[in-house]
Amino acid sequence: MTTVLKLGGSVVTDKSTPETVDEDRLDAAVAAIANAAAEGRAAAGGARAGGGPSLVVVHGGGSFGHHNAEKHGVSDTAGTRDAGAVFEIHDAMRRLNDAVVTRLQDAGVPALPVHPLSAAARDADDGLSLPLDSTATMLSEGFVPVLHGDVVVHADAGATIVSGDELVTTLARGLDADRVGLCSTVPGVLDADDEVIPEITAFEDVAAVLGGSETTDVTGGMAAKVRALLELGAPAHVFGPDALDAFLAGDDAGTVIRG
Ligand code: IP8
């Protein structure tokens, strides 16, 4: 059983203050992961060589990385060949990753960092390649790989941003994950009355609420996310921090997206 869990930038950082970890939220998420590990459930450290449940964690940037990227005009499509700028963006994300990995280790979770800049590349058509030998071996040896949104080299563009969401879908496919969880500060995909939609099995069913593809940033972001998750072979759960325990216990949490 392989689970890919994304902790959104809003869960691990205080987005209102640059480069600030949200201690309370991060501690709560770490405690949920550590509890699941201790009980040998879907999460951390349950795996040992030869099988068992395993967990990959991905985190977003929140108040880390984004402002550095903006300062240098770097996005997922706009690149830079300024090595100093690439290092500055990566270094911010690496420091956040250090904080997440350290807290997980302090809670007894055998977490290890995986930095996309050192392994991933985009081709000239924007396709992402992320070799997963190291991550897969970490899992089979009982470790918990912790990846993060990052800056990655990009053919004909220098280097561009890869988001945590894109890493989640790439990891879920490449590792043949059984479950995917996206934990952010919203409790799920919301309908027009701000109620959580329990299950989505086809984009047409929610297009009116999510606004299709021609939308504002916020709903466009969720529309694109839902589309990508519907294409995965594994069920994906979109939920808030309060539902992390339930997700890690194997229960349905927030909105379940099954393509
Ligand atoms: O917060 C951003 O990752 P995201 C990574 O998942 C950056 O979009 C800005 C380097």
Side-chain angles (χ1 to χ4, degrees):
M1 160 75 82
T2 299
T3 301
V4 178
L5 169 67
K6 183 188 172 200
L7 300 175
S10 54
V11 175
V12 293
T13 76
D14 173 359
K15 282 175 107 169
S16 62
T17 315
E19 305 220 348
T20 308
V21 171
D22 187 325
E23 308 282 348
D24 292 346
R25 279 216 169 105
L26 179 55
D27 284 351
V30 164
I33 292 169
N35 284 343
E39 291 176 22
R41 295 189 310 226
R48 285 291 172 268
S54 50
L55 176 72
V56 182
V57 175
V58 178
H59 65 79
S63 62
F64 287 74
H66 286 281
H67 62 280
N68 311 83
E70 205 174 314
K71 180 173 115 191
H72 294 289
V74 182
S75 69
D76 55 346
T77 51
T80 181
R81 291 194 170 79
D82 176 349
V86 173
F87 182 68
E88 181 185 315
I89 299 163
H90 170 72
D91 192 51
M93 292 305 301
R94 185 198 54 72
R95 283 183 281 115
L96 176 59
N97 185 256
D98 279 1
V100 175
V101 169
T102 302
R103 276 177 176 70
L104 284 166
Q105 287 203 2
D106 287 350
V109 177
L112 289 177
V114 176
H115 302 302
L117 172 63
S118 306
R122 282 194 198 283
D123 61 26
D125 297 322
D126 300 342
L128 180 70
S129 135
L130 176 64
L132 291 174
D133 289 5
S134 162
T135 300
T137 305
M138 283 184 188
L139 290 176
S140 62
E141 292 301 313
F143 297 109
V144 174
V146 184
L147 294 86
H148 53 89
D150 203 353
V151 60
V152 293
V153 289
H154 190 152
D156 296 340
T160 53
I161 300 297
V162 61
S163 71
D165 284 347
E166 191 175 359
L167 292 171
V168 165
T169 50
T170 304
L171 286 160
R173 285 208 181 82
L175 297 170
D176 201 15
D178 303 283
R179 300 177 84 224
V180 170
L182 298 179
C183 179
S184 74
T185 43
V186 284
V189 182
L190 304 179
D191 66 15
D193 298 321
D194 279 351
E195 298 291 332
V196 173
I197 301 169
E199 187 177 52
I200 299 173
T201 55
F203 188 75
E204 302 76 68
D205 298 345
V206 290
V209 179
L210 299 182
S213 50
E214 308 298 321
T215 56
T216 63
D217 280 357
V218 173
T219 52
M222 189 55 90
K225 198 178 284 203
V226 169
R227 275 187 194 282
L229 295 173
L230 278 166
E231 283 166 20
L232 285 181
H237 303 244
V238 177
F239 54 90
D242 293 348
L244 183 53
D245 279 312
F247 172 75
L248 290 171
D251 297 336
D252 281 354
T255 301
V256 187
I257 300 172
R258 295 179 224 271

